Amino acid sequence: MTQVDPRDDRALMAAHVAGDPDAFGELFRRHKDRMWAVALRTCNDPELAADAVQDGFISAFRRAASYRGDAQVTTWLHRIVVNACLDRLRRVRPTSELPEYDLADRHDHHASTVVRLDVQEALSKIPKAQRLALTLVDMEGLSVAEAATTLEVAEGTIKSRCARGRAALAELLRDKHGEGYR
């Protein structure tokens, strides 16, 4: 069984920069799932997301000395992974629709899966800036300030993008499902 490193993220970054061969591996272990979730929601394509996460962590590994400690390590990683996603999206545009799923299993599973797919589809229809803000704030739980730092925009911009994005999502879901979505 692998022992969990007791150092906090900032200490691990400092140790990595100082040459500790295990420190960055611990950061990767701690944050890979969250970065994957951000990348998947940003790219809306598992292959692009996987490539972006890999690009992001390689970039973070190489640029660790540029981490100044102004923000949390997770905020810094979010910024790098989101930028890697945007780079990937600029190079390749996804051409496939959402995959079809066999939803005939259990009713509850069916309903939650349908809602999740409907939200994912609606997210793909709103402007990228709004989608990124909503993904970071509403889905990943970052504060407005952390999302602003990640996307390198003002906090007010994040707030307005989230508000416009939520309104657009509500409208798209209402159009699809009627007034039950508010």
Side-chain angles (χ1 to χ4, degrees):
M1 186 165 120
T2 305
Q3 189 168 356
V4 176
D5 193 312
R7 295 177 286 184
D8 68 15
D9 289 349
R10 284 189 167 111
L12 286 168
M13 283 294 289
H16 168 64
V17 171
D20 182 332
D22 300 320
F24 197 84
E26 177 63 17
L27 286 169
F28 176 79
R29 186 196 63 73
R30 287 181 188 177
H31 302 295
K32 68 181 176 352
D33 293 340
R34 191 168 184 190
M35 295 306 121
W36 163 252
V38 167
L40 187 58
R41 288 186 184 111
T42 303
C43 295
N44 202 26
D45 178 306
E47 289 182 33
L48 282 177
D51 290 343
V53 169
Q54 181 176 338
D55 292 349
F57 272 106
I58 289 170
S59 179
F61 181 88
R62 291 178 178 160
R63 295 182 14 213
S66 73
Y67 173 71
R68 296 184 312 264
D70 299 343
Q72 295 291 325
V73 172
T74 54
T75 303
W76 183 75
L77 287 171
H78 270 98
R79 183 181 322 127
I80 291 171
V81 170
V82 166
N83 285 337
C85 290
L86 296 175
D87 288 346
R88 287 275 172 182
L89 288 169
R90 280 186 209 107
R91 285 187 255 156
V92 178
R93 293 202 178 264
T95 56
S96 61
E97 292 296 316
L98 291 172
E100 292 295 322
Y101 292 97
D102 179 13
L103 300 174
D105 291 330
R106 294 185 296 175
H107 178 69
D108 289 344
H109 177 70
H110 170 79
S112 66
T113 302
V114 169
V115 168
R116 183 177 49 80
L117 290 173
D118 288 347
V119 170
Q120 185 177 357
E121 180 182 15
L123 270 173
S124 72
K125 293 179 179 179
I126 66 173
K128 185 188 315 181
Q130 293 173 11
R131 182 173 61 245
L132 288 171
L134 285 175
T135 296
L136 293 176
V137 173
D138 290 349
M139 296 175 180
E140 292 302 314
L142 267 66
S143 69
V144 169
E146 290 171 321
T149 300
T150 298
L151 297 177
E152 299 176 333
V153 297
E155 289 182 32
T157 301
I158 295 296
K159 290 177 185 177
S160 64
R161 286 178 182 175
C162 284
R164 287 192 312 265
R166 289 180 195 117
L169 280 179
E171 185 66 30
L172 288 165
L173 293 170
R174 254 193 310 278
D175 288 349
K176 186 165 186 151
H177 295 282
E179 291 300 314
Y181 277 82
R182 289 191 187 260

